[in-house]
Amino acid sequence: MPESATIQDILRQSTCPACAHHVAVRFFDGGHLPLTTLAWPKSANEAKAMKRLPHSFVRCVDCGHVYNADFSYAEVPYSDKPNLMFNKGEIWSEHLRAVVELLIERLPSDPIVIEIGCGEGHLLRALAGACRGGRFIGFDPNASIDAGDAFEARAELFDPAVHLAEFRPDLVISRHVFEHLMNPLGFVQSLAFAAAWEHCPTRLFIEVPCIDRVFEMGRTVDFFYEHNSHFTTQSMSRMLERCASGVDMIETGYNDEVLFALAEFGERQQAVDFAESANAFRNRVRRSHETIQRELDILARSEYSVAIWGGTGKAAAFINQLGLDAQRFPTVVDSDPDKAGTHVPGTGQLIRHRDHLLEHPVDFIVIATQWRAADIALEIQRTGIRHQAIVIEYQGRLIDFLRDEHPYRIEPSDRSNESDYIEPIPRPKFLSRRVRTRLMKEAS
Ligand SMILES: [Zn+2]
């Protein structure tokens, strides 16, 4: 059957945990099977009654990573069941010694070292023993680590946004954790961003099972539920290249059954610039919304009547973002007769056709969509809708569309058509200097 598979049979749109590519192909359909390592059933009946979970392993067509496209982290009980790792095999012990040596060679004197998911702390203990000074911190949500004096134990998940700045580690170690993560790339990118944002350069050592040899061997036992994400040398490289400042090493060991990588994370000016600009935007928007909400509230409580022009799309966003409720702002009109008779999403005002304003004129017309304001102003004039002022939001306050400076004024190209000329009307009282001063005072 697979020999004659069509693209519809094999293509699966899904996000690769290693490189974030969105197209994968079916690789191993394991069917519905129970957890294998984290359940610890106490009786035969409990074991047989275990929940069956989907094992839909796919392969990323961009980096070759293999992962369970139907994995759900919530199905794996990490918080109350320990992940017991057998560390006593002779060749495996030799491998651990090699890892310790490899790390020691690359550490400064008195290093600060964090291990994520340290378990009972076998490696951290060995590293601390091999270094004369330094600080060693083991993170593991399993609260029962007996660290003794060998290292500091933290019974919680390592959060780059919190703990990188707190400890400023020279090295973060993660062994046999990444294959369990829902979003390993997201974790490494968070670490990369935290290193840049906090000006805290660090290194990350990752060790995971390696599936480079699985393809030729046709082996499937690697693909059980708890191991959601399966790295090849290539997919590990791609993940790190996407966010590290430098990749120092990617190697396999233990007869090519494990993969380890060491990468550096430092300055990333563009990421910091985007973050600072986003933060500035957020602060500015918060202040402008407060100001405009106060201005609109004063308008609603004044003796003037108000209509909002626009009730769907961006206009509905304006109404909802600024909380323009139906009690204070009952009149909403729209240029489009097809929208009349429907209601503003979220706030519920009846949307009327703009001709409603011919018989029920208002003092202020608030155009909710600045980008269309020039057209709407022309429409108001041509239709002969009476009003005192057309108001739009610009730079965090309400302004007079016809008199104030703003970038939304579009002069009609054909000035020979007299009806395209918008006759200025006397400055309305609401926007007089006195009222503005009052508004600004109330808004500040
Ligand atoms: Zn990928």
Side-chain angles (χ1 to χ4, degrees):
M1 225 287 267
E3 275 85 357
S4 61
T6 64
I7 184 165
Q8 290 108 309
D9 291 331
I10 59 171
L11 190 149
R12 178 106 192 229
Q13 211 179 91
S14 175
T15 306
C16 173
C19 80
H21 192 75
H22 293 288
V23 173
V25 287
R26 283 166 70 182
F27 174 72
F28 170 60
D29 298 323
H32 283 68
L33 304 170
L35 294 173
T36 60
T37 57
L38 282 161
W40 312 113
K42 289 181 192 68
S43 70
N45 284 341
E46 202 183 305
K48 287 176 194 165
M50 281 172 70
K51 187 173 178 183
R52 307 262 153 174
L53 302 159
H55 288 56
S56 314
F57 287 92
V58 295
R59 190 157 196 209
C60 171
V61 295
D62 210 49
C63 76
H65 197 67
V66 171
Y67 62 99
N68 184 354
D70 292 328
F71 177 77
S72 165
Y73 195 84
E75 297 289 358
V76 186
Y78 285 113
S79 50
D80 47 272
K81 297 288 201 312
N83 186 8
L84 298 180
M85 187 152 174
F86 185 70
N87 277 321
K88 302 227 159 59
E90 200 176 314
I91 304 169
W92 185 250
S93 301
E94 184 51 46
H95 164 70
L96 286 174
R97 274 193 293 277
V99 170
V100 169
E101 246 169 62
L102 180 151
L103 293 175
I104 292 286
E105 276 172 24
R106 288 163 175 83
L107 281 174
S109 52
D110 294 333
I112 301 172
V113 178
I114 285 177
E115 187 177 4
I116 304 168
C118 64
E120 36 76 57
H122 184 93
L123 183 91
L124 217 44
R125 231 178 279 274
L127 266 182
C131 295
R132 262 178 218 101
R135 193 173 171 196
F136 299 84
I137 308 105
F139 279 80
D140 204 309
N142 174 16
S144 59
I145 317 165
D146 180 18
D149 296 331
F151 63 94
E152 301 165 42
R154 295 283 288 249
E156 59 185 313
L157 286 170
F158 175 81
D159 181 352
V162 176
H163 300 119
L164 199 69
E166 183 184 340
F167 293 103
R168 308 189 76 80
D170 298 293
L171 177 68
V172 177
I173 299 170
S174 165
R175 296 182 62 246
H176 300 273
V177 169
F178 270 62
E179 65 271 28
H180 300 269
L181 297 183
M182 189 86 193
N183 187 356
L185 175 66
F187 177 82
V188 184
Q189 287 180 334
S190 301
L191 186 76
F193 178 67
W197 179 261
E198 303 285 2
H199 303 291
C200 180
T202 191
R203 284 165 137 189
L204 173 65
F205 176 82
I206 303 172
E207 184 181 316
V208 286
C210 175
I211 60 159
D212 283 358
R213 300 174 68 196
V214 160
F215 307 104
E216 59 188 82
M217 292 173 171
R219 199 169 76 195
T220 61
V221 293
D222 304 63
F223 306 114
F224 53 89
Y225 200 79
E226 291 90 328
H227 284 190
N228 151 56
S229 197
H230 295 266
F231 286 89
T232 64
T233 306
Q234 200 179 0
S235 71
M236 176 61 78
S237 312
R238 287 291 295 281
M239 181 178 78
L240 293 174
E241 280 160 9
R242 290 212 51 177
C243 48
S245 328
V247 179
D248 299 340
M249 177 184 72
I250 293 189
E251 282 175 22
T252 58
Y254 196 66
N255 202 18
D256 291 339
E257 294 289 348
V258 297
L259 179 60
F260 35 85
L262 185 65
E264 291 171 33
F265 299 86
E267 297 301 322
R268 291 176 79 79
Q269 196 51 48
Q270 192 183 57
V272 172
D273 289 348
F274 277 135
E276 277 171 350
S277 136
N279 202 35
F281 184 85
R282 205 159 59 101
N283 287 330
R284 181 178 152 189
V285 162
R286 198 193 58 237
R287 285 193 299 269
S288 358
H289 278 194
E290 283 168 10
T291 306
I292 297 166
Q293 278 170 332
R294 278 179 214 173
E295 289 183 347
L296 284 164
D297 195 50
I298 289 165
L299 198 51
R301 286 190 277 109
S302 73
E303 69 267 36
Y304 302 112
S305 52
V306 182
I308 298 164
W309 194 295
T312 66
K314 286 178 182 166
F318 177 86
I319 291 167
N320 278 277
Q321 287 175 5
L322 295 165
L324 306 187
D325 54 81
Q327 285 70 44
R328 291 178 306 150
F329 300 93
T331 309
V332 172
V333 299
D334 203 288
S335 307
D336 183 354
D338 288 345
K339 287 176 186 159
T342 64
H343 292 80
V344 179
T347 50
Q349 289 96 328
L350 172 68
I351 302 172
R352 295 180 163 96
H353 184 234
R354 56 112 207 269
D355 286 354
H356 173 78
L357 296 182
L358 287 169
E359 292 190 6
H360 305 89
V362 295
D363 298 306
F364 291 90
I365 298 172
V366 178
I367 297 180
T369 50
Q370 302 98 323
W371 68 286
R372 278 200 66 226
D375 264 334
I376 294 170
L378 268 179
E379 191 181 339
I380 289 169
Q381 195 196 16
R382 282 176 180 157
T383 326
I385 293 170
R386 284 175 291 133
H387 62 283
Q388 288 206 53
I390 297 170
V391 174
I392 61 166
E393 182 247 309
Y394 177 59
Q395 297 280 32
R397 38 181 273 253
L398 294 176
I399 61 161
D400 183 327
F401 178 77
L402 293 178
R403 286 169 199 78
D404 290 326
E405 283 302 312
H406 60 80
Y408 299 109
R409 197 189 311 276
I410 304 167
E411 295 299 329
S413 53
D414 181 10
R415 295 303 295 266
S416 61
N417 185 347
E418 275 303 301
S419 68
D420 279 350
Y421 182 67
I422 301 171
E423 186 68 44
I425 50 171
R427 182 176 286 282
K429 286 182 208 160
F430 169 64
L431 294 164
S432 69
R433 179 171 297 191
R434 187 179 56 79
V435 175
R436 253 208 193 129
T437 312
R438 197 184 88 210
L439 285 178
M440 283 164 71
K441 212 176 271 173
E442 288 195 25
S444 61

